[in-house]
Amino acid sequence: MQAKMISLVVLLAVLLVFALQNTQPVAVKFLLWETTASAVLTILISFCLGALAGWLIHYLKPRASRKI
């Protein structure tokens, strides 16, 4: 249990450093929509959308029928 807690604290520290170093604004363009946001926010939103898409594909795909 102690090793898991240490690993979690280290991971959170690395993520915090990453977030603090990537605060510069970046331009985000999608079709006709354009905005600016911080780089870390753009990465986080992209990751969450990709995870959601992967989960939906896994959840909605037809289940293979079991043959006995």
Side-chain angles (χ1 to χ4, degrees):
M1 186 66 162
Q2 186 71 10
K4 287 183 182 180
M5 186 60 77
I6 292 171
S7 299
L8 181 62
V9 169
V10 169
L11 178 64
L12 289 175
V14 169
L15 289 174
L16 180 64
V17 169
F18 176 78
L20 291 174
Q21 290 183 343
N22 290 289
T23 58
Q24 67 274 12
V26 294
V28 179
K29 297 178 184 180
F30 181 72
L31 299 176
L32 300 175
W33 180 69
E34 182 178 346
T35 189
T36 58
S38 69
V40 71
L41 184 62
T42 304
I43 293 168
L44 179 64
I45 291 172
S46 298
F47 173 79
C48 289
L49 288 174
L52 178 64
W55 179 80
L56 283 173
I57 289 171
H58 175 74
Y59 182 75
L60 297 177
K61 73 176 181 179
R63 305 280 188 230
S65 60
R66 294 183 181 179
K67 294 183 179 181
I68 301 177

